[in-house]
Amino acid sequence: DIQMIQFPSSLSASVGDRVTITCRSTLSISTYLNWYQHIPGQAPNLLIYGASSLQGGVPSRFSGSGSGTDFTLTISSLQPEDFATYYCQQSYSIPWTFGQGTKVEIK
Amino acid sequence: QVQLVQSGAEVKKPGASVTVSCKASGYTFSGYYMHWLRQAPGQGLEWMGWINPTSGGTKNAQKFQGRVTMTRDTSINTAYMEVTRLTSDDTAVYYCARWVTGSSVDYMDVWGKGTTVTVSS
């Protein structure tokens, strides 16, 4: 199985900060990498697919980059509604696997 | 709008079975595979498998083979997942999610809100 290593596991940031989350795969996955936002009690929300494509309806402050084994999710200016846990997920091979998540908390 | 509505929370005893349902609306049910995932307390998301609503064909993660069955009823646009021989390790929130696949992309774009399954004696 492909392992997804995500870091940091948590971070504290202020509204307006630029936030970067990193995800690394144990095998090359081309751009089969997706990012999700999860707020407890709600359905996970797709942010980025194909490593860098913004899902419809997602604010442009979210962006993704990378290919092969190294990927990043960037929030250019953190907003109050962005405090959540973020997961990367590879869809290159079955079983699809997720990073352990990055919890973004208010500083 | 496109949505997936899951069944309510369940409490089961070890050794029992549980079935979670996922009702789709706002799109053509047969046009998209449905995935199932779960998240145990304090853990990350875990992919369990998918079902092709048209054919009923399924693919499970190896760790769930023999214990997880995915079915669907196209007449009511609903997918089901049954987990048998429950243990405390199966305590989790279970999600269904719609799969979009295309040229060099595969992702789950719409998710249900989750069904909490608690296994306790």
Side-chain angles (χ1 to χ4, degrees), chain A residues 1 94-95, chain B residues 47-49 59-67:
Chain A
D1 298 358
I94 296 291
Chain B
W47 178 80
M48 300 180 70
K59 176 76 172 178
N60 288 359
Q62 191 164 9
K63 72 174 285 187
F64 298 111
Q65 285 181 4
R67 211 163 63 86

Side-chain angles (χ1 to χ4, degrees), chain A residues 32 34 36 38 43 87 91 96, chain B residues 39 95 99 104 106-108 112:
Chain A
Y32 285 87
N34 309 309
Y36 300 88
H38 193 200
Y87 295 93
S91 55
W96 288 2
Chain B
Q39 184 172 34
Y95 296 96
W99 181 20
S104 299
D106 280 295
Y107 55 89
M108 295 168 284

Side-chain angles (χ1 to χ4, degrees), chain B:
Chain B
Q1 76 280 24
V2 176
Q3 62 177 347
L4 301 174
V5 178
Q6 296 186 225
S7 49
E10 303 265 12
V11 179
K12 296 291 183 181
K13 293 193 182 303
S17 300
V18 68
T19 297
V20 178
S21 68
C22 173
K23 183 172 177 61
S25 62
Y27 72 99
T28 302
F29 178 66
S30 59
Y32 297 82
Y33 285 35
M34 192 74 76
H35 287 249
W36 289 92
L37 309 97
R38 73 180 186 180
Q39 184 172 34
Q43 303 297 312
L45 288 158
E46 181 176 32
W47 178 80
M48 300 180 70
W50 54 249
I51 182 167
N52 176 344
T54 300
S55 68
T58 62
K59 176 76 172 178
N60 288 359
Q62 191 164 9
K63 72 174 285 187
F64 298 111
Q65 285 181 4
R67 211 163 63 86
V68 169
T69 302
M70 298 175 192
T71 58
R72 90 291 187 221
D73 184 340
T74 55
S75 69
I76 55 171
N77 296 339
T78 300
Y80 303 91
M81 183 189 62
E82 180 188 30
V83 185
T84 61
R85 304 192 305 274
L86 290 166
T87 72
S88 58
D89 289 342
D90 295 312
T91 293
V93 179
Y94 289 77
Y95 296 96
C96 58
R98 186 178 80 162
W99 181 20
V100 174
T101 184
S103 176
S104 299
V105 292
D106 280 295
Y107 55 89
M108 295 168 284
D109 69 332
V110 179
W111 295 57
K113 289 188 176 181
T115 296
T116 299
V117 175
T118 303
V119 183
S120 174
S121 55

Side-chain angles (χ1 to χ4, degrees), chain A residues 11-19 61-62 75-84 86 104-107:
Chain A
L11 64 90
S12 295
S14 301
V15 172
D17 284 354
R18 181 181 183 89
V19 169
R61 61 181 179 272
F62 291 94
I75 309 172
S76 61
S77 178
L78 198 66
Q79 297 301 301
E81 59 268 30
D82 300 336
F83 292 96
Y86 294 83
V104 177
E105 299 174 304
I106 302 172
K107 182 183 280 186

